[in-house]
Amino acid sequence: MKKVLPAHVLRASVASFLVAALAACSSTPDKPKPVDLPANVALLGVRQAWNAKLGDVSFPLTVGVSGSTVAVASNNGTVLALDGATGRELWRASVGAPLSAGVGSDGKVTAVVTRENEVVALEAGRVLWRQRLGAQTYTAPLVAGGRVFLLAADRSVVAFDGQTGRKLWNQQRTGEALVLGQSSVLLAVGDSLVAGMSGRLVGMNPANGSTRWEAAIAAPRGTNEVERLVDLVGSVSRVGNVVCARAFQSAVGCVDALTGRLLWTKPALASEGVGGNDTAVFGTENDGNVLAWSRADGERLWSSERLRYRTLSAPLAVGRSVVVGDGTGLVHFLSREDGSALTRVSTDGSAIAADPVLAGNTVVVVTHNGGVFGFQPE
């Protein structure tokens, strides 16, 4: 039985918490003080288009986006679908139990996972089906091709029929004894299901779960379970067939998801995922530095120290901006060219609890206190 490193804490504070817990390398009890922010330069116009209210969020929430529909969820099992352009509530439902993972949606079927290891599928706010899982799950379900796919903490991958909940297949893999209680990688690329397994991206046949290819972004190292922990963590950056991802406290790398060829990998120390566009991959490090690597070869493009120790989310690339949320509820828009500040906007003063996402032309963020905010940049 695998041991799960608890991480169903606020995602925005996961980096500092886990570095202390895993490395035990801090010689002082005090966290570094977040860097003071200068006056907002306001070089980019960003307006708050809407906001909505949900319950507290302290599990590894992934905001589900399908077209213009945004799906979010709270600790207590409330699931909410919104129009991303206007914030209009489309439906709201409760699955009746606290959540450990979510939200996955294809715009029709929406799925979450409870702490009781039950995957629950909904349609238009109505529960379609429930199925028991064999292990804890922290990665949001993937809803695609009429199916619901789950990546559990024991590194099993399970597929269910999206309408009936009938189990289609279950593939179990072996791996290290310790796994990270944080969202990993699960997405569709072409006709392949791509999952994070330890430090590897694995391409699978979605019809039966058989493995097509594997590509190692990082390899386990060290002599004990903690030192060997290299789980991949979402979010990822996908452009075409190229998927770029982060291995926990180890590396960032890119893989051709059609062939499984590793394009490049670079050392990087952080526990949040990455973002990117067609030319660059962006990441936030443990110390709050924001980095950009060339998507072609992984060479460093720039590094920004403007947000050091501010407990940052994974970045989101939007137009000429790189967007990151911080532990005080601020959302920072940085230049994609050099990381310089363009503007920042505020939410409700609680930490950003999920990586920012883009729905149409709206940047959506969710806070620990359950605020859901839609911002529209110029």
Side-chain angles (χ1 to χ4, degrees), residues 257-328:
L258 281 188
T259 64
R261 181 170 65 94
L262 178 66
L263 302 178
W264 57 265
T265 183
K266 297 290 182 180
L269 295 176
S271 59
E272 301 296 331
V274 297
N277 56 25
D278 58 352
T279 61
V281 178
F282 306 105
T284 56
E285 300 293 277
N286 289 335
D287 59 5
N289 279 356
V290 184
L291 304 181
W293 297 270
S294 167
R295 195 174 196 92
D297 56 16
E299 292 304 306
R300 179 79 62 85
L301 299 177
W302 53 259
S303 174
S304 171
E305 299 184 358
R306 292 172 174 83
L307 304 177
R308 281 173 67 84
Y309 306 117
R310 296 198 65 85
T311 313
L312 303 180
S313 70
L316 171 70
V318 181
R320 62 189 182 103
S321 304
V322 178
V323 183
V324 295
D326 76 14
T328 68

Side-chain angles (χ1 to χ4, degrees), residues 83-124:
D83 181 283
T86 66
R88 179 174 62 90
E89 185 171 314
L90 303 177
W91 54 262
R92 182 186 293 249
S94 175
V95 301
L99 299 183
S100 66
V103 179
S105 181
D106 63 358
K108 183 178 181 182
V109 174
T110 299
V112 295
V113 182
T114 73
R115 293 182 195 170
E116 298 169 352
N117 299 346
E118 192 174 53
V119 55
V120 185
L122 307 101
E123 185 173 16

Side-chain angles (χ1 to χ4, degrees), residues 59-193:
F59 71 99
L61 172 67
T62 297
V63 179
V65 178
S66 180
S68 63
T69 300
V70 175
V72 294
S74 63
N75 292 347
N76 65 7
T78 298
V79 185
L80 175 63
L82 302 165
D83 181 283
T86 66
R88 179 174 62 90
E89 185 171 314
L90 303 177
W91 54 262
R92 182 186 293 249
S94 175
V95 301
L99 299 183
S100 66
V103 179
S105 181
D106 63 358
K108 183 178 181 182
V109 174
T110 299
V112 295
V113 182
T114 73
R115 293 182 195 170
E116 298 169 352
N117 299 346
E118 192 174 53
V119 55
V120 185
L122 307 101
E123 185 173 16
R126 177 180 63 88
V127 173
L128 281 176
W129 51 266
R130 300 170 181 264
Q131 286 284 9
R132 181 72 58 179
L133 300 171
Q136 293 172 298
T137 300
Y138 301 101
T139 301
L142 172 67
V143 184
R147 286 161 286 185
V148 177
F149 300 96
L150 278 300
L151 171 62
D154 65 354
R155 297 194 173 93
S156 62
V157 181
V158 189
F160 298 95
D161 181 274
Q163 284 297 312
T164 68
R166 180 174 63 91
K167 184 183 289 187
L168 303 175
W169 52 262
N170 181 6
Q171 290 286 356
Q172 178 70 57
R173 296 172 62 95
T174 59
E176 288 69 43
L178 188 67
V179 295
L180 186 66
Q182 185 175 340
S183 180
S184 186
V185 176
L186 190 64
L187 74 158
V189 181
D191 64 349
S192 288
L193 177 67

Side-chain angles (χ1 to χ4, degrees), residues 185-208:
V185 176
L186 190 64
L187 74 158
V189 181
D191 64 349
S192 288
L193 177 67
V194 179
M197 300 283 183
S198 297
R200 304 181 300 278
L201 281 177
V202 178
M204 307 173 74
N205 182 342
N208 56 23

